[in-house]
Amino acid sequence: MDLGMLGAAIVMGIAAIGSAIGIGAAGQGAIGAWKRCYVNNKPAPFILTVFAGAPLTQTIYGFLLMNSMKEKVASGAMNGPFALGLGLAAGLAMCFSAIAQGKAGAAGSDALGETGKGFSQYIMVVGLCETVALFAMVFGMIQ
């Protein structure tokens, strides 16, 4: 088995695990906020789906980095052990970024559902969590 191709596969898999965990956390927050809105006969803001779906992007970043790594490994521009290390490190960075994003999204859903205010501030924090994954992807691609 080629360690380089394993590293390329691992980056996407680990990033996707983070997306699943983050979406689960953010989704729970959105569902809870909607429930409280319904119980209090308030309109349930559909915009909470933005918080719930935000961690999905890390799977896309993992896929893009995986394809970049596959090309570099196949051409010999990246050696196997380095690619394996990069896949593990970048995948974990994306994973934890998605988890943090999900937690921030859950808090944003709770706050927005309760007050109806502050969406731009809450989404900024979610975006800051996103930046970690973007940096991991881009820096991994330009290695």
Side-chain angles (χ1 to χ4, degrees), residues 112-131:
L112 187 64
E114 186 77 24
T115 66
K117 298 176 183 174
F119 176 76
S120 59
Q121 289 91 342
Y122 310 144
I123 201 68
M124 253 191 288
V125 174
V126 171
L128 288 171
C129 298
E130 176 95 10
T131 304

Side-chain angles (χ1 to χ4, degrees), residues 3-128:
L3 290 179
M5 290 300 178
L6 179 61
I10 281 174
V11 72
M12 198 204 138
I14 294 175
I17 289 168
S19 288
I21 295 168
I23 289 168
Q28 289 176 38
I31 290 168
W34 284 323
K35 179 201 75 160
R36 279 193 314 280
C37 287
Y38 294 136
V39 166
N40 295 317
N41 290 317
K42 291 172 46 180
F46 183 76
I47 197 80
L48 300 185
T49 56
V50 170
F51 294 128
L56 184 59
T57 55
Q58 278 76 347
T59 300
I60 297 166
Y61 302 151
F63 175 75
L64 294 172
L65 183 53
M66 176 188 71
N67 284 335
S68 172
M69 290 173 65
K70 280 175 32 183
E71 289 176 16
K72 290 177 181 176
V73 168
S75 71
M78 184 183 289
N79 69 39
F82 178 81
L84 178 59
L86 177 62
L88 285 169
L92 285 170
M94 292 177 200
C95 177
F96 284 105
S97 169
I99 292 168
Q101 197 173 40
K103 290 179 177 183
S109 288
D110 180 55
L112 187 64
E114 186 77 24
T115 66
K117 298 176 183 174
F119 176 76
S120 59
Q121 289 91 342
Y122 310 144
I123 201 68
M124 253 191 288
V125 174
V126 171
L128 288 171

